[in-house]
């Protein structure tokens, strides 16, 4: 194309991504859709990767789409989405039923959940015979509750489960209306319940051995057609996590943009809950302990048998994180001190 032809092109045409690469030497951004199933801190790295420009830095034009589980899995299967960030429990169940999916990383293994109860209940052990509200039997919070009850010698049969069929707001309403005696709530929902006079019996943040993990899941065919995509996503999220730890004001402002009902004072407190224990993973391996806990805490006998029989090596692939470790990406991003974390996490990674 000669200079005269270029000058004759309409200005609008020059502005499109179709022409920009050839004229200005820029690569077009790759369109990617990512599902997130809740507006909680577990998706903070995604929000920061989007609003901080880190997806774009790695060549991705990313759209974040909210939709409760299993909407994200449906998006992957139909081709409407390329990645889901959700609880490891939900994603492992989906992957064990559909071998076309693959988990490639995990940015969170610690949950900011508080077990809230009526003020006349003194301890977790005192929940025996009491009513506990859950979204549904077998969901992720249900599994965390089983683990907390187990630490006090209780089993799932020692309490009465009250499925409310909704998210954290429904569980909080069940407690405050008297329909339930206790429930597990995320921050900042449990802040308001505390203020109303209810008691915190336990907090998952205090239990390193109870995994409340998330993971990134994609379709294998998408990865096969674009092997670099998982690395780009992991890099963008790692940049978001770095920004989280370094810039509280931006992190809080970003979260508020995705949850219009959240209050700044609450989110500043939530930020501290995540930042103090370094909850977000700088080196995002899917951990063997987290995988084991999902299988061990599965209450449904049929699903439990299916998951125990399934070879999760077929659907969990830590090679993308390992490759970035070998290339020095995390060390360059977070600095030399992350080397010790890389070595420690590599030993704990699933498949190692």
């Amino acid at each position: 194309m000669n200079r005269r032809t270029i000058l004759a092109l309409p200005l609008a045409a020059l502005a499109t991504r179709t022409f920009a690469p050839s004229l200005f030497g820029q690569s077009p951004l790759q369109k990617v859709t990512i599902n997130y199933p809740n507006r909680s801190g577990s998706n903070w790295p995604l929000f920061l990767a989007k609003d901080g420009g880190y997806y774009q830095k790695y060549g991705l034009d990313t759209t974040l789409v909210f939709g409760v589980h299993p909407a994200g899995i449906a998006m992957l299967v139909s081709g409407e989405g390329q990645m889901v960030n959700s609880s490891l429990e939900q994603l492992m169940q989906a992957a064990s039923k559909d071998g076309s999916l693959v988990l490639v990383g995990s940015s969170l293994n610690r949950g900011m959940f508080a077990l809230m109860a009526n003020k006349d209940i003194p301890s977790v052990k005192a929940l025996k015979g009491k009513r506990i509200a859950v979204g549904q039997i077998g969901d992720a919070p249900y599994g965390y509750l089983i683990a907390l009850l187990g630490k006090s010698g209780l089993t799932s049969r020692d309490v009465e489960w009250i499925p409310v069929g909704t998210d954290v707001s429904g569980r909080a309403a069940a407690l405050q209306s008297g329909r339930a005696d206790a429930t597990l709530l995320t921050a900042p929902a449990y802040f308001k319940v505390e203020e109303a006079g209810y008691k915190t019996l336990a907090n998952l943040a205090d239990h390193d051995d109870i995994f409340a993990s998330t993971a990134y899941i994609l379709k294998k065919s998408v990865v096969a057609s674009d092997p670099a995509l998982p690395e780009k996503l992991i890099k963008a999220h790692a940049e978001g996590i770095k920004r989280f730890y370094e810039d509280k004001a931006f992190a809080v402002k970003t979260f508020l943009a995705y949850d219009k009902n959240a209050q700044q004072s609450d989110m500043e407190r939530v930020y501290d809950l995540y930042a103090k224990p370094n909850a977000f993973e700088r080196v995002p391996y899917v951990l063997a302990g987290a995988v084991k806990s999902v299988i061990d805490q599965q209450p449904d006998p049929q699903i439990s048998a299916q998951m125990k029989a399934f070879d999760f090596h077929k659907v969990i692939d830590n090679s993308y994180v390992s490759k970035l470790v070998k290339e020095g990406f995390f060390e360059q991003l977070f600095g030399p001190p992350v080397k010790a974390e890389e070595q420690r996490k590599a030993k704990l990674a699933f498949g190692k």
Side-chain angles (χ1 to χ4, degrees):
M1 183 180 292
N2 59 39
R3 183 173 181 274
R4 181 175 299 173
T5 305
I6 292 175
L7 292 174
L9 287 171
L11 183 60
L14 290 175
T16 65
R17 296 191 186 279
T18 303
F19 292 102
S22 60
L23 289 175
F24 306 113
Q26 299 175 352
S27 298
L29 294 179
Q30 176 184 356
K31 291 188 177 297
V32 172
T33 299
I34 298 177
N35 165 266
Y36 63 99
N38 54 64
R39 296 180 178 90
S40 73
S42 63
N43 288 296
W44 223 324
L46 278 66
F47 303 156
L48 290 166
K50 174 69 173 177
D51 287 23
Y54 303 119
Y55 287 128
Q56 188 172 4
K57 177 179 177 178
Y58 293 102
L60 304 176
D61 178 8
T62 302
T63 300
L64 300 181
V65 177
F66 171 76
V68 297
H69 181 77
I73 299 301
M75 289 175 65
L76 292 185
V77 173
S78 68
E80 295 177 23
Q82 286 69 50
M83 195 201 92
V84 176
N85 180 60
S86 188
S87 73
L88 185 61
E89 288 87 348
Q90 293 171 334
L91 299 187
M92 282 177 58
Q93 284 189 42
S96 67
K97 297 174 183 176
D98 185 346
S100 71
L101 304 174
V102 60
L103 288 76
V104 301
S106 173
S107 61
L108 183 68
N109 286 292
R110 188 188 295 261
M112 303 302 149
F113 289 82
L115 177 55
M116 306 300 301
N118 292 323
K119 59 184 177 181
D120 59 342
I121 298 176
S123 64
V124 175
K125 193 168 186 178
L127 287 173
K128 186 172 183 178
K130 303 296 185 180
R131 301 162 299 165
I132 301 181
V134 292
Q136 59 185 4
I137 302 297
D139 64 10
Y142 177 86
Y144 309 150
L145 279 163
I146 295 296
L148 281 173
L149 292 173
K151 285 182 171 292
S152 295
L154 301 180
T155 70
S156 61
R157 296 183 179 182
D158 290 321
V159 300
E160 179 184 352
W161 299 102
I162 308 296
V164 297
T166 58
D167 61 5
V168 63
S169 60
R171 300 198 301 274
L175 176 62
Q176 293 180 295
S177 68
R179 185 181 172 192
D181 301 302
T183 192
L184 197 64
L185 301 176
T186 52
Y190 74 76
F191 299 165
K192 295 177 175 59
V193 174
E194 277 182 332
E195 292 171 0
Y198 292 85
K199 186 175 183 179
T200 301
L201 298 183
N203 197 307
L204 253 61
D206 299 327
H207 298 278
D208 292 337
D209 56 341
I210 299 180
F211 290 91
S213 305
T214 61
Y216 311 142
I217 192 168
L218 297 87
K219 201 170 181 180
K220 288 180 179 178
S221 59
V222 170
V223 176
S225 64
D226 185 4
L229 180 59
E231 291 180 36
K232 293 177 183 178
L233 292 167
I234 291 169
K235 285 180 176 181
H237 297 148
E239 296 259 16
I241 288 169
K242 181 174 186 287
R243 185 71 179 272
F244 174 87
Y245 288 126
E246 294 179 347
D247 194 342
K248 177 177 180 178
F250 182 74
V252 170
K253 179 182 177 181
T254 297
F255 191 95
L256 293 173
Y258 287 85
D259 187 350
K260 303 298 184 182
N261 294 320
Q263 301 296 316
Q264 181 165 336
S265 58
D266 285 342
M267 293 317 302
E268 288 176 351
R269 182 178 171 188
V270 174
Y271 174 92
D272 293 337
L273 290 174
Y274 279 88
K276 184 178 179 180
N278 291 309
F280 291 119
E281 301 286 0
R282 293 176 173 87
V283 187
Y285 283 112
V286 178
L287 302 181
V291 172
K292 183 178 185 299
S293 72
V294 169
I295 297 173
D296 291 347
Q297 293 172 18
Q298 176 51 240
D300 184 287
Q302 185 175 352
I303 296 177
S304 177
Q306 176 187 340
M307 295 181 78
K308 288 178 179 178
F310 186 80
D311 181 6
F312 281 98
H313 294 89
K314 296 179 180 179
V315 295
I316 297 177
D317 188 352
N318 274 316
S319 67
Y320 300 98
V321 176
S322 292
K323 182 174 182 289
L324 292 175
V325 168
K326 292 177 182 178
E327 292 174 350
F329 169 77
F330 300 110
E331 191 172 357
Q332 183 178 4
L333 181 63
F334 293 108
V338 83
K339 192 74 176 178
E341 187 174 341
E342 289 177 335
Q343 295 171 348
R344 180 170 58 86
K345 290 294 174 65
K347 294 177 181 178
L348 300 174
F350 181 82
K352 298 290 184 178

